[in-house]
Amino acid sequence: MHSQGELRNVMQSRTMLSARMRKQLGSSLLEVLIAVLVLAIGMLGMAALEAVTLKNSNSSAARSQAVIQVYSLFDTLRLNRDVATAGGYNVATWTCSAGVAAADDPTDYSVFNSWLAGVQGSLGDAGACGRIVCGTESCTVGVRWDDSRATGGTSEPIQIETSSRL
C-alpha cells in the first residue's frame, strides 16, 4: 500500500504535468497561427509571381505575332516582286491607319492596308503602326506598337524592323 506522502507526490506531479500540457497546447496554437501567416504570405507571393509571368508571356506572344506578320508581308511582296522592288508598295513613314493614295502617288496601298489591319488585329492594338521600304533587291518592313502593359513597360513603343531579300 502507498503512504500518504507518496500519494501526495503522485498528485502533485500529475497536476504539474497537466499544467505543462495546457501551456504546451497554447504555444502549439500560436505556432499554428504563425505557420498559417507564413503560408498566406507565401501564397500571396506566388499569386504576384503568376501575374508578372502572365504579363511577360503576353508581351512575348505579341512580339512573336509581330514577327509572324512581318514575314507574312515578305511572302506577299514576293508574289509581285517587280512592283515591290520598283517601290510600288513603299510606305516609308510609320503609318497607323489605312493609307489612301493621292492623285500623283503611284503607291498601291491595298497590300499595306490589309497587312496593317492584320497586324493591329493580331497584336490587339488598334494604334499599331507599320512601314514598308523596298529597294531594288530587298525590303525592310517594320512594326511598332504599345507594349506598356508588359512588366517594365515604358511609354516608348516597341519597334521591330526586319530586312529581307525578295
Side-chain angles (χ1 to χ4, degrees):
M1 200 163 212
H2 298 288
S3 71
Q4 190 173 6
E6 288 176 357
L7 284 174
R8 192 174 327 138
N9 285 343
V10 170
M11 291 297 283
Q12 277 181 338
S13 66
R14 283 187 183 170
T15 304
M16 289 175 67
L17 181 63
S18 123
R20 272 194 219 135
M21 287 178 69
R22 278 194 297 262
K23 284 183 182 179
Q24 183 64 35
L25 289 174
S27 66
S28 175
L29 182 60
L30 182 60
E31 289 171 358
V32 168
L33 289 174
I34 291 171
V36 168
L37 177 66
V38 168
L39 182 65
I41 290 170
M43 295 297 277
L44 285 173
M46 292 292 287
L49 182 64
E50 183 69 26
V52 169
T53 302
L54 185 62
K55 284 181 182 180
N56 286 336
S57 66
N58 285 342
S59 177
S60 175
R63 289 171 192 254
S64 296
Q65 283 298 318
V67 170
I68 289 169
Q69 290 292 336
V70 166
Y71 281 103
S72 171
L73 180 60
F74 281 135
D75 291 340
T76 302
L77 295 175
R78 285 183 185 106
L79 291 174
N80 200 347
R81 186 182 322 257
D82 294 335
V83 174
T85 55
Y89 298 125
N90 284 359
V91 180
T93 60
W94 289 106
T95 305
C96 304
S97 60
V100 178
D104 60 342
D105 186 3
T107 302
D108 178 7
Y109 285 96
S110 63
V111 170
F112 176 79
N113 291 344
S114 63
W115 172 74
L116 182 63
V119 167
Q120 291 172 340
S122 67
L123 294 178
D125 181 5
C129 305
R131 71 178 176 181
I132 305 170
V133 179
C134 291
T136 56
E137 290 187 17
S138 65
C139 290
T140 299
V141 176
V143 179
R144 186 172 68 183
W145 75 98
D146 176 24
D147 196 28
S148 61
R149 294 175 294 184
T151 303
T154 62
S155 60
E156 303 237 353
I158 299 292
Q159 178 176 313
I160 293 178
E161 286 194 291
T162 306
S163 296
S164 178
R165 292 186 67 184
L166 296 180

